[in-house]
Amino acid sequence: IPNKPRYFYGWNIVIASFLAHIAYAEHNSSLLGLFFSPLKEEFGWNRTSVSAVQSIARVVEGLIAPFLGPLIDRYGPRPLMVIGGVATGFAFLSVTQVTTLWQFYLVRGILMAVGFAFMGYLVTSTAISNWFVRHRGRAIAFASTGTSSANMALAPITVWIILTWGWRS
């Protein structure tokens, strides 16, 4: 009986990382620009005020990164991904309830940034590196395509949702 190649579990990690990168694309892409008009209509916020949330988020992620490395070393990427997913999910739900600019900055700029830092590139690359030696580069590259794929797919979907149900949906 010939040896049948076994399925390598590491590819599940790559798929999970790919999905995390799809979620991260919303946070790290131009999709925010699709919300400029609806937010201006509802709250009167200008583009500068809305886009400042990206700067806040990048600063938060930069401040978290030095602490994230030791947490990955101590606990591994799995619990951090769970924490990040829960925080991001809570932030996505919470951002639909904002009524003031400071709430938008808090939820989208800080809470969502913390969640995405915990499930972002540093954590996913570590998880993949723990599973792969021979095909490490290929695995990380495949997972990273989630961001680009999401940017292509989510823009028209986001526009349709905003036009159909409003920005809060």
Side-chain angles (χ1 to χ4, degrees):
I1 299 174
N3 272 348
K4 199 173 167 183
R6 292 183 10 173
Y7 176 74
F8 181 55
Y9 184 81
W11 291 110
N12 291 356
I13 305 302
V14 173
I15 292 167
S17 297
F18 177 84
L19 294 173
H21 288 264
I22 286 176
Y24 190 76
E26 187 283 327
H27 183 63
N28 196 27
S29 73
S30 57
L31 292 180
L32 180 65
L34 302 174
F35 292 87
F36 284 167
S37 294
L39 291 173
K40 182 176 176 121
E41 283 178 27
E42 185 165 339
F43 301 115
W45 302 341
N46 61 32
R47 292 175 186 266
T48 305
S49 298
V50 173
S51 61
V53 78
Q54 288 295 83
S55 297
I56 294 167
R58 295 292 90 74
V59 168
V60 168
E61 287 178 357
L63 293 172
I64 288 174
F67 301 101
L68 197 54
L71 288 174
I72 294 170
D73 290 340
R74 178 175 236 179
Y75 301 108
R78 183 181 299 178
L80 300 182
M81 291 283 289
V82 172
I83 291 167
V86 170
T88 302
F90 179 73
F92 270 117
L93 292 173
S94 298
V95 81
T96 66
Q97 304 303 311
V98 300
T99 56
T100 63
L101 192 58
W102 74 267
Q103 291 172 340
F104 184 65
Y105 290 162
L106 176 68
V107 173
R108 176 76 169 59
I110 297 174
L111 180 60
M112 198 174 285
V114 170
F116 278 126
F118 273 69
M119 58 184 272
Y121 291 104
L122 183 60
V123 178
T124 59
S125 294
T126 303
I128 291 170
S129 294
N130 288 343
W131 278 90
F132 286 86
V133 175
R134 266 188 50 213
H135 299 294
R136 182 177 294 159
R138 181 181 304 165
I140 290 173
F142 180 74
S144 298
T145 62
T147 302
S148 301
S149 303
N151 284 334
M152 291 186 307
L154 290 180
I157 292 169
T158 302
V159 169
W160 178 74
I161 290 171
I162 290 172
L163 292 174
T164 306
W165 292 299
W167 75 269
R168 291 184 188 271
S169 297

